[in-house]
Every structure is written in C-alpha cells, then in structure tokens.
Amino acid sequence: QVQLVESGGGLVQPGGSLRLSCAASGTITSISAMGWYRQAPGKERQLVALIIRRINTNYADSVKGRFTISRDNAKNTVYLQMNSLRPEDTAVYYCYAVQSGYTYWGQGTQVTVSS
C-alpha cells in the first residue's frame, strides 16, 4: 500500500502562484508515474500533469507554460508549481501514483483562485 498526502493548496488571487506537494509513504518499491488531476464543481476529473519515471512529463493544454511538475525521488515527493493562476484553475487537486499496476490517490487539496 502507498499513502499519498498533499499539501500547499489555498486561496490565491488571479495571476498568483502556488506550489503543491504530494509525499508518498508506505510500501514503496518502484513508482512508475506520479501526477495531478483536478476536479471543479460539476465537472469531471481531468488530468493536469504527470511525470513518468523521472523525466517524461505531460501537461493538459490549459496549463502548458504555466504549471511545472517535478519529482524528488529521494523524498518520494511530486510537486506542482502553478504560476499565472486563473479563476478557472479553481478545483480540488488530487495527487496520484502508479506502482505495480495499481493507482493510488491522495485525499485532495483545494485550490481557489479569486480576487
């Protein structure tokens, strides 16, 4: 079992920045991918960014150029640096990790972009 704990969400004004963190713990052998999804009220959960192994990254078109995903393997932690935030980025952000074919999820952290 892998446990994921997110942190770093909050309220920010449009144009501002936040950095989300997700720390993995438990029985960690080889996490192949980590990333972030988000879900806004009344909308489906959507992929925001993922990092495969250590260097391959992928982003939703809506966040390209504004968000950056990174991973610290020594700390089993994935980060999401979010810049130039917009009101439409408001959502609950969920961290996930894939290990041995299983997908694990964090509890989610709220990000609200509002003036």
Side-chain angles (χ1 to χ4, degrees), residues 63-79:
V63 307
K64 284 180 180 177
R66 301 189 296 122
F67 291 10
T68 302
I69 190 170
S70 61
R71 179 176 169 180
D72 185 333
N73 290 307
K75 296 181 179 180
N76 292 313
T77 300
V78 65
Y79 305 96

Side-chain angles (χ1 to χ4, degrees), residues 10-99:
L11 173 65
V12 64
Q13 292 186 343
S17 298
L18 282 175
R19 187 192 194 207
L20 304 183
S21 300
C22 173
S25 62
T27 305
I28 297 172
T29 54
S30 179
I31 295 176
S32 56
M34 298 186 78
W36 297 87
Y37 275 74
R38 68 186 180 187
Q39 187 166 21
K43 295 187 177 182
E44 294 185 354
R45 191 174 293 192
Q46 66 167 164
L47 175 67
V48 177
L50 65 92
I51 184 164
I52 301 172
R53 297 299 176 187
R54 301 183 181 185
I55 58 174
N56 295 322
T57 59
N58 194 20
Y59 297 91
D61 288 341
S62 59
V63 307
K64 284 180 180 177
R66 301 189 296 122
F67 291 10
T68 302
I69 190 170
S70 61
R71 179 176 169 180
D72 185 333
N73 290 307
K75 296 181 179 180
N76 292 313
T77 300
V78 65
Y79 305 96
L80 186 67
Q81 177 66 43
M82 304 186 294
N83 299 327
S84 301
L85 283 161
R86 305 167 180 170
E88 54 264 38
D89 295 317
T90 295
V92 177
Y93 284 69
Y94 297 91
C95 170
Y96 78 96
V98 179
Q99 176 171 280

